[in-house]
Amino acid sequence: MYKYILLFLFCFSFYLSPIIAQNVEEKQLVSSVGLVLSGGGAKGLSHIGVIKALEENNIPIDYVAGTSMGAIIGGLYAIGYSPDEMITLLSSKEFHVWYKGLKEENYTTYIFRPEPTPEMLSVKLDFKDKKMVTQLPSSFVSTYQMDLAFLQLFSQGDAVARGNFDSLMIPFRCMASDVVNKKPYILRSGNLGSAVRASMSYPFYFKPVLMDSVILFDGGFYNNFPWNVMEKDFHPDIIIGAKCVAGTPAVPNEDDILSQIETMLTFETNYDLPERKGILIETRCYDIGLLEFSKIDYLVQKGYEETIAKIDEIKARISRRESASALAAKRKSFHQQMPEEKFKNFQITGSISASQQRFVEQTMSGKKSETFDYNTLKRRYFRVVSTDLVNTFYPTATYDWQDSLFNVSINVTNQSRFKLMLGGHFSSSSINEVFLGGQYQMFRSTIGTANFGMTFGRLYNGIQVSWKHFVSTNPILYYELKVVGHRFDYFSGSQDLFYFDKRPAYLQEEDVYGQITLGTPVFLRKNLTGKLKFTVGMQRDRYFQTLDYSSSDTSDHMRFNYLFPRFSVERNTLDYKQYPTQGNHQEISIGYVYGSEKHNPGNLSSGFVTEKQRSHHWFGARFYFNSYISFGPHFSLGLLADVVGSNKSEFGDYYSTLLSLPAFQPTPHSTTLVLENYRANIYAGLGITPVFRFTDKVSFRFGGYLFQPYQPVKHTSGDKVDYSESFSGTAYMAMGAVVWQTPIGPLSFSANWYEKAQKNMYIQLSLGYLIFNKRGLDY
């Protein structure tokens, strides 16, 4: 009996063996895995969590393809970045700077930055073929930081692959969009950094990339989930798809221009990955904004949790495993092949003239046969960008295996030569100004800028014409010619809401001067600039020494003709022209004033009644320090020190002496008032300003300030001028403001308090800039 049973089992095993073998073979067929990552802006950070969960469970990833943010994550993974390294990179301050298009103080050359004006809006134009052509901004965000960062991130991995994406540590594909021909554009080779950069070039927000003579935009418009590309190019046994966006475009928000653009340009993408071809991991975080990268920890955790929820199914369908040690060895092997990031040669391409190309080459180049690192490249790159003469300045790097060095090619297009400007200050008080300006930029082998600006208002009227010419790029040297004429009309009425004073001005200050400046960097890397200025001008003051006057009365009249040479060392890296939150402004200056005063009394003068003349000469010096120390993304502390000293003698009477004194004006509003008790020949002004940043553009600030004069001038009548006791006259002021740095200027609601003033408190709502031309006698 047992013999028959054994015989039966023996025969049955022969029958089953092909079936078992077939099942084993089918299981072993799943030997390659492709990972597809969708686009989705900041939501795409969830893909890091997906990769992290797969790696922890030893699931191999043999190929990767992505679109937009999925291309960034996929590209980094393809050159050996681990999930933890990606989290560190994409949560760093540097990444925040890249996608916001912010300036970095240590790499920006501020010597090219013009003096601040009340400009709020501008339009650039030029003349081509006898027609005027307007140049609109090509993107909301400056992409210079991002363009150079992508060169740094991907150039070494690209060198190992020699431009073939199949030869990366993980073979890679990414998608871009050819909007001219309205079709997807598959990037399989070429410059890796440019491919990834093209894949996430959201229209109007980031500037597009030119590759293979095709203008490429964000790949999500035509294929936001390229599983079909993965299947066609790599034929993996199974695809793991990571999706972080809704299946169909959302209904656009009428107040959100980005959602409107997305809806207009996006074609419906096929997210239906067939079950027989793979597994779809969907991370539902649709409420996250396009650029909410600050939520990286939350998004990575969401992607990780969604993957862990499907890990059993993934393991059941993928029998092969890749250990952590094997993966680490693969990364190490790829990284060891990466060449050192050293650069040598520049090649300038694009639609610029030969003389313009010489300027760029001279500015970018160092000594002959010199090699340099990435930081040096970055500093030279932003030296050109800081001139504001180039529109496109797109860098790519190729590796020369014979020289073992990278060569840099930069595609350059120039800005329009002409710019028209409109601006000013508009408020709930009587301080309202309108600014009109124009600019011409000369861009040849040397560069120059001509500026013209006019300001009209009740308080201030001014005009300025200037020419600034950089005659050398190494070392940088420039001269500037400037002519300024302006007038301040101070009124006896208040700046309260809806109050209009109809009496004539009782204090009027005019200043007309010509100035030549010679400048050069003292320490270029520290943005310290040395300036030698020669100023020739005339200051004229008209005033009444009493408020009891009529329109038929004549005012006192003082005129001072002067010559003023001055030397200064200055650094200004503040992030905003008004209400800054980061950066530094430091200046040390010394000057000598020589001039003659002529004083004519008015019919109400209680002092001298005949013309009075005298000469004056004095030395003056100033130390100014204003620094904002950042304590994380939401708080910074501003520190101010303003110390002035001079041996200037008194002028003809109290008011002429007062208006010639240096003034402590630490806030925008304080520049609109005479503030008699905050002026002195010698004083120290100190301030502290905590700034609470709710967002990059919205902040609340509170400033407290101390003014300590050495000998304040006394308020006297007639031609007698007297001074108070030493170190008397201590005065305080304070301000608080909620500020929104809008695209056209700061919108602020502020309260300004002055301890020793005719009116202590001023509250106003304002939009724009309270910026006036500098006075000729400013130290």
Side-chain angles (χ1 to χ4, degrees), residues 61-76:
I61 300 173
D62 301 295
Y63 313 103
V64 63
T67 297
S68 195
M69 194 64 200
I72 296 177
I73 303 300
L76 291 172

Side-chain angles (χ1 to χ4, degrees), residues 55 142 245 394 490 651 687 716 766:
E55 284 195 357
S142 171
V245 291
Y394 188 80
Y490 299 102
F651 277 24
T716 58
S766 63

Side-chain angles (χ1 to χ4, degrees), residues 103 108-114 119 122-124 135 137 142 144 356 359-360 363 381-393 412-419 421 439-443 447-449 451 470:
K103 292 181 178 179
T108 301
T109 302
Y110 289 88
I111 193 171
F112 296 112
R113 187 164 74 171
E119 173 192 343
S122 65
V123 58
K124 294 185 177 182
Q135 184 183 61
S142 171
Y144 299 121
Q356 292 170 341
F359 170 80
V360 175
T363 307
Y381 175 88
F382 282 107
R383 192 178 302 168
V384 177
V385 170
S386 299
T387 64
D388 197 32
L389 292 169
V390 294
N391 186 24
T392 300
F393 205 64
V412 186
T413 62
N414 57 359
Q415 293 275 20
S416 294
R417 293 175 297 167
F418 300 93
K419 182 169 76 169
M421 298 171 282
Q439 183 184 86
Y440 166 76
Q441 290 184 313
M442 182 189 76
F443 183 13
I447 62 174
T449 304
N451 280 290
F470 290 86

